[in-house]
Amino acid sequence: MTTTAAPAVPPAARTVDTHCPYCALQCAQTAETLPDGLAAERGGPIHVVGRDFPTNRGGMCQKGWTSPRVLAAPDRLCTPLVRTGDGELRAATWDEALDRTARGVREIWRRAGRSGVAVFGGGGLTNEKAYTLGKFARTVLGTPYVDYNGRFCMASAAAGANAVLGIDRGLPFPLADLGGAQAVLLLGSNLAETMPPALAHLTGARARGGLIVSDPRHTPTAALCDDGGGRHLQAVPGTDLELVLGLAHLVLARGWHDAAYLAERTTGLDQLERAVAAWWPERVEAVTGVPREHLERAARLLADASPARGGTGAYVLTGRGVEQSTRGTATVVAAIDLALLLGLPGRVGSGYGAITGQGNGQGGREHGQKADQLPGYRSIEDDSARAHVAAVWGVDPANLPRSGLPAVDLLRRLGTPTGPRALFVHGSNVAICSPRADRVAERLRALDLLVVCDVVPSETALLADVVLPVTQWAEEEGTMTSLEGRVLRRRRVLAPPPGVRSELDVWADLARRLGSPVAFATDPSDVFDELARASAGGRADYSGLSHARLDEGEALYWPCPAVGPDGGTDGEAGDGPGSGPDGEPRHPGTPRLFLDRFAHPDGRARLTVPPVAAGDAPVSAPTAADADGFPVHLVTGRLLAHYQSGAQTRRVPELVRSAGGVRLELHPLLAEALDVEDGEDVRITTAWGTASIPASVSPDIRYDTVFWPFHYSGADSVNRLVGDEVDPVSGMPRFKVTPARVARAGVPAGLPAGLPVGVDTGQTR
Ligand SMILES: Nc1nc2c(c(=O)[nH]1)N[C@H]1C(S)=C(S)[C@@H](COP(=O)(O)OP(=O)(O)OC[C@H]3O[C@@H](n4cnc5c(=O)[nH]c(N)nc54)[C@H](O)[C@@H]3O)O[C@H]1N2
Ligand SMILES: Nc1nc2c(c(=O)[nH]1)N[C@H]1C(S)=C(S)[C@@H](COP(=O)(O)OP(=O)(O)OC[C@H]3O[C@@H](n4cnc5c(=O)[nH]c(N)nc54)[C@H](O)[C@@H]3O)O[C@H]1N2
Ligand code: SF4
Ligand SMILES: [Mo]
């Protein structure tokens, strides 16, 4: 027998099952703590690997793989900061910082009353934090002014779904259902860069030649339509409403609609028929630039895939490309109408869905950080909802504030003579992500008190009077509700750095310092139980859920009500998630909504004529103050390697390298007309500002459109040039399409008349 040196025993590692800190796909990860030596080498105290889960199937994107880097960001906030008399931020103790905050709030209450203090939340906060933030605003601060960055993200999808279907759950079906579909229409979503592992669910539709993508850019997602995968519709930015009405027109005109389903499950067909009759293909082509044959082809692919015509199923999905518009709600309504005409929603294997963006973009909009909502997706104007939630909070319903203002209006009024004098920010980098960002920064500076909780010194934190360092992702317990409405456990992998506190702690402490009698739990599991009670009976009912139940292994879909004493609701005894450890009946959660009825009282979906007059000019001609240069559509959005305002990902060296610096994407024809080469500076001007940024010349964009991702700061931040018009129904800003003029940087005036805007009779590729 030979002896060899024993292999080095790996240091005892602890593994924890959790989910990625970033987007709503919430890819499942297993995190492993690393010993010090390895931590330094790997750039973070933990290491993550993808874990098998139906949405990500073990996959993650580069942001997921590198997520531990943010835990060890060199400038990670580990001590509170307060602004001194000479304008500098200096380190302070928690006591000092919270005292300063409480004193500031009391002083503003004295001068301006309760509505002198406002709150801005984020769709990345756990359910427990989102819930507590709303409760803190309504009870301790007693202010109506609470809203959050979901207003920039999900508000139009929510408004459209509520109006037509009666409830807003982004995907009312499991994401994996898409796999069996014969056709998928993606309106304004670039999944290949915004949720790469989700592409696996499109391979089926693509293999069947049924993937249809509407995007003014030939994105990696649109490219999946090439070579027989389906059809890319490269419409003029801002014209998807007409595009969808055109598809609806064709479906009705060709008799491809599902008449039996429409009669049984919907109302409003007559009116809709009249409205879409006006959108014949030639007219749609003139407005959208999409050739009528392409429109016809897309309509046929969808119709052939519909169950009524013997297909295996079809989906209509919307993303920010069509929602972040002054016609966002109208376009979502039209998209759901189209799906209903084809008989898709409420059928297994077909449907309509909005692709929620932020990690907890779904849960974040259900638990009360939205200006008009209480937990459980209840209306703050509904007296019975007020009474229910007030009882859970132990307060008098009469003292609960009413609706506040949507984000853009709120930000606009900060620090004005009649507006709020103080703002708390939790989980949003408003100085970068808001439209008219320069003015937002000016409003933030005009406040008497700006308190920002963050994990890094974001551009917004750097404007604050008080900065509070809080726990993030792998340092905390909680739940996140993913894009499919599934409640997932976020688990603590490691202790936060010394000096950092949980936001749950911060709110409880501030409540005490502000003399509030209301109790604030700080254990996330207790907070969840309270949230569950507050949500009971609401549209987003979590009352049958708890951390313990979720820890049994199944992430469950809401609604998941508690089973009543009589074993009521839909709970079934037996095996599986529908029964407890002792076999007692439990609600199994609701993977698919609408199978029996839609959420309106009569159980029917309401076909709705989109609330924008059919004859509206789709895109206003450029109104840029600068009348020189070529008029173009400035479109904004995302790159694969950066997340949102970039506060987190700009601190990850691998991602910074992958993304490169800011670039303005433009078509070779436009570059030629401007006489700029790839990498040379282009001057771009809108009604709100002007900037010079390097060109990235690419055939993958319409020639009348330029693209500028919003992840960058300072002079590279596009939101300095984006206006703050909003959708009239949802209050969502028009991030996607801004009229602009472009010229070669340094060329002053006198360029020839521009390329045509708004009309294009062919694809640009
Ligand atoms: N890498 C990365 N992934 C992310 C995020 C991130 O910041 N980075 N953020 C997450 C969040 S919060 C969100 S909301 C989602 C967003 O996910 P997406 O909606 O996929 O992302 P966007 O890039 O904002 O917009 C999608 C596409 O809309 C197109 N578009 C612009 N104008 C129009 C138009 O008028 N019509 C049509 N049809 N298309 C148009 C753009 O060209 C762009 O390709 O991504 C999530 N995932
Ligand atoms: N031009 C243009 N602008 C856009 C968009 C666009 O497409 N174009 N998209 C819009 C959309 S869809 C969105 S969702 C917004 C997003 O934009 P932002 O709201 O700015 O989103 P993030 O960059 O994710 O900001 C989150 C902040 O919270 C911090 N943070 C992370 N975790 C925690 C936590 O647990 N607690 C606290 N207190 N802080 C935490 C992060 O460090 C970061 O500073 O941008 C919008 N703005
Ligand atoms: S797709 Fe989204 S959830 Fe998945 S790893 Fe990337 S950022 Fe994280
Ligand atoms: Mo978003």
Side-chain angles (χ1 to χ4, degrees):
M1 193 174 126
T2 55
T3 53
T4 51
V9 178
R14 208 168 69 86
T15 62
V16 178
D17 285 350
T18 188
H19 294 264
C20 174
Y22 298 116
C23 83
L25 193 59
Q26 284 294 289
C27 293
Q29 305 181 327
T30 296
E32 189 186 347
T33 48
L34 294 174
D36 288 349
L38 264 182
E41 187 186 303
R42 299 262 179 92
I46 64 171
H47 167 77
V48 294
V49 291
R51 180 163 56 86
D52 196 37
F53 195 73
T55 47
N56 66 308
R57 301 198 176 144
M60 279 195 293
C61 75
Q62 198 188 4
K63 297 187 297 302
W65 288 111
T66 56
S67 52
R69 284 270 189 193
V70 186
L71 296 166
D75 58 351
R76 173 74 197 271
L77 290 171
C78 292
T79 177
L81 306 172
V82 296
R83 198 167 296 278
T84 58
D86 56 10
E88 298 296 311
L89 278 175
R90 70 157 175 84
T93 63
W94 272 97
D95 225 23
E96 262 180 287
L98 292 177
D99 252 356
R100 163 92 172 257
T101 303
R103 253 185 299 119
V105 167
R106 283 182 190 278
E107 171 60 21
I108 289 161
W109 280 350
R110 203 179 50 73
R111 283 186 289 124
R114 293 282 167 152
S115 51
V117 182
V119 174
F120 201 96
L125 301 177
T126 58
N127 288 315
E128 292 77 359
K129 293 201 275 188
Y131 165 79
T132 307
L133 179 59
K135 174 181 169 184
F136 177 78
R138 267 64 177 251
T139 61
V140 177
L141 298 176
T143 180
Y145 296 133
V146 50
D147 211 48
Y148 78 126
N149 67 5
R151 188 70 69 175
F152 298 163
C153 183
M154 299 315 305
S156 291
N162 280 325
V164 183
L165 304 171
I167 197 167
D168 152 44
R169 196 182 90 188
L171 299 184
F173 45 78
L175 182 66
D177 280 7
L178 293 179
Q182 187 177 323
V184 174
L185 169 61
L186 273 180
L187 292 163
S189 156
N190 181 13
L191 270 187
E193 293 190 87
T194 53
M195 298 185 183
L199 290 188
H201 305 289
L202 297 179
T203 47
R206 191 183 174 215
R208 296 169 196 117
L211 183 63
I212 309 156
V213 175
S214 162
D215 198 306
R217 300 187 302 140
H218 184 249
T219 59
T221 313
L224 298 172
C225 305
D226 299 348
D227 306 323
R231 167 75 38 218
H232 175 205
L233 306 172
Q234 203 164 7
V236 173
T239 65
D240 295 81
L241 178 52
E242 287 78 4
L243 185 79
V244 176
L245 291 170
L247 292 171
H249 175 101
L250 283 170
V251 167
L252 284 166
R254 303 281 183 273
W256 294 336
H257 56 292
D258 187 342
Y261 168 102
L262 289 166
E264 194 190 330
R265 304 208 54 185
T266 70
T267 58
L269 180 60
D270 288 355
Q271 274 167 303
L272 185 70
E273 263 182 312
R274 279 197 296 277
V276 303
W279 291 100
W280 55 91
E282 293 75 8
R283 184 173 177 211
V284 172
E285 174 176 323
V287 174
T288 64
V290 173
R292 74 203 77 162
E293 314 81 72
H294 293 186
L295 198 70
E296 181 102 28
R297 175 91 189 114
R300 182 177 279 284
L301 284 174
L302 284 169
D304 286 351
S306 69
R309 293 173 45 82
T312 66
Y315 288 89
V316 177
L317 304 176
T318 57
R320 301 310 82 75
V322 299
E323 295 162 11
Q324 290 174 328
S325 149
T326 49
R327 349 165 72 200
T329 304
T331 309
V332 167
V333 164
I336 307 177
D337 286 342
L338 173 65
L340 289 167
L341 289 176
L342 292 164
L344 310 181
R347 275 206 166 117
V348 178
S350 289
Y352 162 80
I355 305 167
T356 295
Q358 296 185 84
N360 196 27
Q362 180 69 52
R365 63 191 197 259
E366 299 161 2
H367 300 300
Q369 52 176 338
K370 200 170 176 185
D372 55 354
Q373 275 178 19
L374 289 175
Y377 220 127
R378 291 182 152 93
S379 164
I380 201 165
E381 297 297 341
D382 168 355
D383 284 335
S384 64
R386 293 167 67 85
H388 171 84
V389 175
V392 175
W393 290 347
V395 299
D396 179 349
N399 292 338
L400 288 181
R402 298 261 163 192
S403 285
L405 292 172
V408 171
D409 288 336
L410 178 60
L411 293 173
R412 203 182 277 151
R413 294 196 51 204
L414 293 177
T416 60
T418 55
R421 307 297 317 168
L423 180 73
F424 284 85
V425 179
H426 297 268
S428 179
N429 192 0
V430 284
I432 300 291
C433 73
S434 313
R436 290 192 74 180
D438 280 343
R439 199 193 43 184
V440 168
E442 188 184 297
R443 291 293 92 222
L444 295 176
R445 285 195 198 93
L447 290 167
D448 297 331
L449 177 67
L450 174 62
V451 182
V452 175
C453 277
D454 209 307
V455 302
V456 290
S458 70
E459 286 74 7
T460 308
L462 291 175
L463 296 173
D465 300 296
V466 179
V467 180
L468 303 174
V470 292
T471 50
Q472 57 173 312
W473 163 62
E475 300 158 356
E476 63 185 14
E477 297 282 338
T479 58
M480 307 284 279
T481 305
S482 74
L483 79 170
E484 12 170 56
R486 204 164 185 192
V487 188
L488 313 168
R489 280 282 278 116
R490 167 180 279 194
R491 294 192 181 87
R492 180 165 151 148
V493 186
L494 76 173
V500 166
R501 281 206 198 170
S502 143
E503 267 154 309
L504 294 175
D505 237 39
V506 171
W507 291 311
D509 196 330
L510 280 172
R512 269 192 308 276
R513 283 172 204 257
L514 289 167
S516 168
V518 178
F520 279 80
T522 54
D523 178 330
S525 164
D526 295 342
V527 175
F528 190 93
D529 291 345
E530 186 185 310
L531 172 168
R533 286 202 307 284
S535 78
R539 280 192 269 180
D541 191 329
Y542 283 43
S543 60
L545 299 174
S546 64
H547 282 202
R549 183 166 180 201
L550 293 167
D551 285 339
E552 286 169 23
E554 282 271 357
L556 293 160
Y557 298 82
W558 69 258
C560 185
V563 175
D566 56 349
T569 81
D570 304 329
E572 295 152 20
D575 294 336
S579 64
D582 304 321
E584 76 276 16
R586 293 196 301 189
H587 194 284
T590 315
R592 296 179 188 85
L593 297 175
F594 314 137
L595 294 182
D596 303 322
R597 58 193 316 279
F598 291 101
H600 288 302
D602 63 359
R604 288 164 175 255
R606 296 179 184 159
L607 290 163
T608 304
V609 176
V612 169
D616 262 19
V619 181
S620 50
T623 53
D626 175 356
D628 305 320
F630 286 104
V632 296
H633 304 282
L634 166 61
V635 156
T636 71
R638 292 161 168 83
L639 301 176
L640 173 61
H642 273 311
Y643 192 66
Q644 314 277 58
S645 73
Q648 289 154 289
T649 50
R650 280 187 274 117
R651 290 176 162 81
V652 180
E654 294 91 326
L655 298 178
V656 169
R657 272 197 301 278
S658 289
V662 70
R663 292 290 196 100
L664 188 73
E665 186 181 331
L666 51 94
H667 192 270
L669 277 176
L670 181 58
E672 195 186 319
L674 299 179
D675 191 24
V676 291
E677 305 269 331
D678 191 69
E680 286 183 343
D681 276 359
V682 176
R683 192 189 65 211
I684 173 159
T685 305
T686 69
W688 299 275
T690 187
S692 282
I693 64 169
S696 166
V697 179
S698 157
D700 290 332
I701 187 165
R702 289 176 57 94
Y703 66 77
D704 57 4
T705 301
V706 296
F707 175 73
W708 182 348
F710 82 105
H711 312 294
Y712 298 91
S713 71
D716 297 340
S717 163
V718 69
N719 279 330
R720 295 168 38 242
L721 274 72
V722 169
D724 61 356
E725 300 106 317
V726 298
D727 179 290
V729 183
S730 69
M732 186 138 156
R734 185 173 86 170
F735 284 123
K736 280 295 181 272
V737 195
T738 304
R741 289 186 181 260
V742 287
R744 192 192 151 97
V747 175
L751 281 166
L755 295 167
V757 168
V759 179
D760 176 16
T761 48
Q763 303 282 100
T764 51
R765 311 180 74 249

